[in-house]
Amino acid sequence: MTKIGEILIKNGFLNNQQLEEVLTCQKEQNDPIGKILIEKGYINEDQLALVLSTQLQLPFCRPAEMDLKPEILNLVPAKYAEKYQIIPIEFKAERLILATAEPLNLEIIDNLREVLGYKIKIAITSYQQILTSLKKYYSSSLNSIANVLADFDENELAQYQTNGLNLKNTSLAMENMANEAPIIRLVNTIISGALKDGASDIHLEPFEDEIKLRYRIDGVLQENAPPPVSIYPAVISRIKLMAGMDITERRLPQDGRIRLRVNNHDLDLRVAVIPTLHGEGIVMRLLNQESILLDLEQLGLGENNLKTLLQLIYRPHGMILVTGPTGSGKTTTLYAALQQLNNPSRKIITIEDPVEYQLKGINQIQVNTKLDFTFARGLRAIVRLDPDVILVGEIRDKETAEVAIQSALTGHLVLATLHTNDAASAFTRLMDMGVEEFLVASTVRGVLAQRLVRRICPYCKETYQPSAHEVELIAGRVTPLFQGVGCEHCKEIGYKGQVGLYELLTTTEAIERLVMNRSSAHGIREAALSQGMQTLRDDGLQKVFQGLTSLGEVVRVTQD
């Protein structure tokens, strides 16, 4: 066998003096010669692999730059490719050719022959090529929960179940269980899978004989492969440990927060744990700073609504309300409005519960009910800080409503959210809280009601002829509608992403008179419609005709 030094000199990688230097270092450090060569910068990983292939008379390859077919990749399951750091590149003459950076590790080759059932032939590549290839060819499989669970054996599963159900376990024992590598990998895979699928929430729910794992994607819950019942206590302990909770407390609800970096994304998770009949349930809200839209023009507001909303938020004082159920995008809309207003000439302060996203250049305050720091108390303090714009995360009670309205009356622009079904109901909701009607009429300048619907997947969108019932829903218009038929991009669902539906009511003199007379929400709504307000359903139908969403989605969120 030709010595590696001779090959290095012959290929022009080293001269005699450098070779002597490397050999001296090898004797002193007792390190492999390849490691020393790379550390000194004489060759790179690819060049080392090429030299080894020459010495061992084995083929050299770069699998990451090849276009490997699925039928070849399927010959080696993802878990073996990752475990043994190998990539299948060809099946030829009854032999499976594997790329590896460790051609002299005969034990690995013997194990692969046994587990794969093929005759093995080796090709040499670099470690970097292996890592890049694993990510390129096996990424989806390696990140699947099913693949992670395949690494557990029955004895491990039984041990986790015994330890997890032992209520006498000390905090240290439970922490040790939660810090074991398979559990860490499983929890990380659950979180990274949710991020990859674009989920807003992760739900882990225990039942008598099963665990459910569901991701809320585009507003709709979708089931995923769950962890088995036996390791669920360890999974719960791991999440509670990451969120800074008491892992031995299983009888009381707990809240926490996890900050971590997943796939080059900074992720913030709001975690809620609650005891249920069959164990602790967990919901994790994913707050991905990079995914939030901070531009009003990207939210899906129609041209007229966008123009009117911009006029409202640039008023020097008054109150603008955004209403809708939980998960309808109210916070995103308000943050986008703040970004529109955010410049050095304005002081903007928010009070939220909790602060979901950090906005540069904006003072954000978080409610702390444990210390009796409520919305109302925070608002009173904010007014003394000379703000131009105030955002109130949610008006929940009379006290908060009165302080917010007082702020709007004294020269501040106040943006706030309220839970009502439509725009007109916001006025009656404030009056039902006990706010005087003249204060509501003189401060509320506009109300934006909104919902989120799923977008039709652009990759599998096609037209179809509506049924008789659908024609009735679209006011007799016989026109082709759009639907997603399902594809790999949308996981066969037919939808990918979300778009907002909006109903913007601006306060006119006529609306003010109705509020002063304590008119019903229906009466206010009829007056707004007569002045040209577009309803949520009308805005939804426009987006149906534009091919942005489906009629079924619009009916689902506007049927009330």
Side-chain angles (χ1 to χ4, degrees):
M1 184 184 295
T2 309
K3 290 184 177 180
I4 198 167
E6 294 177 17
I7 301 170
L8 289 164
I9 291 173
K10 185 178 178 181
N11 283 274
F13 295 137
L14 292 181
N15 56 40
N16 287 312
Q17 184 179 347
Q18 290 169 326
L19 178 59
E20 287 297 326
E21 179 191 346
V22 169
L23 291 173
T24 302
C25 287
Q26 186 187 25
K27 288 177 182 178
E28 293 173 355
Q29 299 175 11
N30 199 27
D31 281 337
I33 190 170
K35 181 183 177 184
I36 297 170
L37 287 164
I38 291 172
E39 285 178 351
K40 288 187 171 292
Y42 292 146
I43 60 174
N44 58 37
E45 284 193 9
D46 262 14
Q47 290 167 334
L48 176 61
L50 184 60
V51 168
L52 283 174
S53 74
T54 304
Q55 184 189 36
L56 301 174
Q57 297 185 342
L58 292 172
F60 169 77
C61 68
R62 291 188 176 91
E65 297 167 21
M66 301 166 72
D67 186 19
L68 299 177
K69 304 298 181 191
E71 53 266 28
I72 296 297
L73 295 168
N74 291 339
L75 295 175
V76 178
K79 66 176 183 177
Y80 293 133
E82 182 184 45
K83 180 179 180 179
Y84 295 111
Q85 297 286 288
I86 49 98
I87 303 292
I89 58 173
E90 195 175 353
F91 189 74
K92 187 176 180 181
E94 300 302 315
R95 288 179 184 272
L96 180 60
I97 303 174
L98 301 175
T100 178
E102 296 185 52
L104 298 177
N105 193 331
L106 300 179
E107 184 181 354
I108 287 179
I109 297 168
D110 288 340
N111 288 344
L112 286 168
R113 282 197 193 98
E114 186 174 340
V115 298
L116 298 177
Y118 298 112
K119 295 177 182 178
I120 302 295
K121 187 176 179 180
I122 294 299
I124 300 179
T125 190
S126 66
Y127 283 107
Q128 188 56 51
Q129 281 283 316
I130 292 289
L131 293 175
T132 305
S133 298
L134 286 171
K135 188 173 182 180
K136 177 179 178 180
Y137 300 118
Y138 286 107
S139 177
S140 58
S141 299
L142 289 173
N143 291 330
S144 73
I145 295 169
N147 186 62
V148 175
L149 292 174
D151 290 339
F152 287 87
D153 61 40
E154 291 185 7
N155 292 333
E156 282 180 319
L157 294 177
Q159 183 183 355
Y160 282 124
Q161 185 171 30
T162 302
N163 292 340
L165 295 175
N166 184 4
L167 295 176
K168 295 180 181 179
N169 265 345
T170 64
S171 175
L172 181 61
M174 297 188 71
E175 188 173 327
N176 289 338
M177 181 175 67
N179 280 328
E180 291 189 12
I183 298 300
I184 292 173
R185 186 180 171 204
L186 177 58
V187 171
N188 289 346
T189 301
I190 289 172
I191 295 171
S192 62
L195 179 65
K196 180 184 173 186
D197 289 350
S200 60
D201 302 85
I202 302 170
H203 293 246
L204 277 162
E205 303 156 314
F207 294 94
E208 185 175 6
D209 54 0
E210 66 172 340
I211 304 298
K212 283 191 179 292
L213 169 62
R214 299 192 287 176
Y215 294 159
R216 188 175 293 280
I217 302 172
D218 298 333
V220 178
L221 284 170
Q222 297 177 19
E223 288 201 24
N224 282 262
V229 174
S230 53
I231 65 171
Y232 186 64
V235 170
I236 291 292
S237 295
R238 176 64 193 166
I239 294 170
K240 289 166 71 175
L241 190 66
M242 293 170 71
M245 299 179 185
D246 180 355
I247 58 177
T248 60
E249 177 56 72
R250 308 180 192 181
R251 300 161 299 173
L252 296 174
Q254 295 188 70
D255 293 307
R257 203 150 191 168
I258 300 172
R259 289 183 173 87
L260 71 165
R261 190 164 179 81
V262 179
N263 299 334
N264 296 319
H265 295 276
D266 289 319
L267 205 59
D268 202 352
L269 288 88
R270 212 167 68 212
V271 185
V273 178
I274 191 163
T276 70
L277 187 62
H278 299 291
E280 291 177 292
I282 279 191
V283 175
M284 291 181 275
R285 165 67 57 89
L286 278 73
L287 305 174
N288 182 6
Q289 190 77 32
E290 298 165 31
S291 68
I292 187 170
L293 289 171
L294 292 177
D295 189 338
L296 282 174
E297 295 181 358
Q298 298 177 32
L299 297 181
L301 286 155
E303 186 178 346
N304 290 334
N305 280 343
L306 177 60
K307 182 179 177 181
T308 305
L309 183 60
L310 286 171
Q311 290 172 349
L312 288 172
I313 67 173
Y314 277 109
R315 289 190 176 189
H317 54 80
M319 179 184 283
I320 300 165
L321 297 171
V322 179
T323 76
T326 301
S328 60
K330 301 186 297 295
T331 300
T332 301
T333 298
L334 287 174
Y335 280 179
L338 291 186
Q339 279 298 95
Q340 187 77 31
L341 295 169
N342 190 12
N343 66 49
S345 69
R346 291 188 184 88
K347 178 157 185 172
I348 301 174
I349 306 179
T350 77
I351 180 161
E352 306 168 63
D353 183 23
V355 173
E356 293 196 0
Y357 297 95
Q358 296 178 29
L359 303 176
K360 193 173 182 179
I362 292 175
N363 298 278
Q364 294 175 271
I365 301 169
Q366 183 158 307
V367 166
N368 190 334
T369 52
K370 291 179 182 177
L371 299 176
D372 195 31
F373 184 60
T374 62
F375 276 113
R377 191 171 177 182
L379 263 174
R380 289 193 181 94
I382 286 172
V383 174
R384 295 194 292 271
L385 299 177
D386 188 31
D388 297 293
V389 181
I390 302 170
L391 183 147
V392 184
E394 185 182 345
I395 294 178
R396 299 174 178 170
D397 50 48
K398 178 183 178 182
E399 187 181 13
T400 306
E402 287 181 337
V403 178
I405 282 176
Q406 195 61 41
S407 302
L409 283 172
T410 53
H412 306 93
L413 177 67
V414 178
L415 309 177
T417 73
L418 196 64
H419 280 284
T420 63
N421 287 333
D422 61 9
S425 299
F427 296 94
T428 55
R429 174 79 178 119
L430 289 173
M431 290 186 286
D432 290 342
M433 284 182 179
V435 181
E436 295 289 345
E437 54 269 18
F438 72 90
L439 290 174
V440 176
S442 58
T443 55
V444 178
R445 297 297 92 210
V447 183
L448 181 71
Q450 67 179 74
R451 300 289 189 275
L452 287 177
V453 290
R454 292 180 290 176
R455 283 182 183 269
I456 296 173
C457 174
Y459 299 98
C460 60
K461 181 166 69 175
E462 63 178 34
T463 59
Y464 73 98
Q465 288 300 323
S467 65
H469 176 61
E470 288 176 319
V471 169
E472 185 180 340
L473 288 171
I474 57 177
R477 287 182 60 174
V478 182
T479 181
L481 300 182
F482 297 87
Q483 64 180 1
V485 295
C487 65
E488 61 178 7
H489 296 282
C490 61
K491 291 194 166 184
E492 306 300 330
I493 296 169
Y495 297 99
K496 192 173 180 65
Q498 291 176 289
V499 64
L501 308 186
Y502 300 95
E503 176 180 287
L504 180 56
L505 188 160
T506 53
T507 308
T508 61
E509 289 184 8
I511 300 292
E512 285 184 19
R513 284 195 298 271
L514 288 170
V515 174
M516 290 287 288
N517 293 325
R518 296 191 70 90
S519 176
S520 67
H522 177 73
I524 296 171
R525 179 181 176 82
E526 289 300 313
L529 289 172
S530 69
Q531 295 170 8
M533 183 185 78
Q534 187 180 47
T535 65
L536 286 165
R537 175 66 67 90
D538 291 338
D539 189 39
L541 290 179
Q542 278 194 4
K543 290 179 169 71
V544 168
F545 298 136
Q546 292 168 6
L548 295 176
T549 190
S550 69
L551 184 58
E553 277 293 288
V554 172
V555 171
R556 177 176 68 86
V557 303
T558 64
Q559 57 189 346
D560 55 344

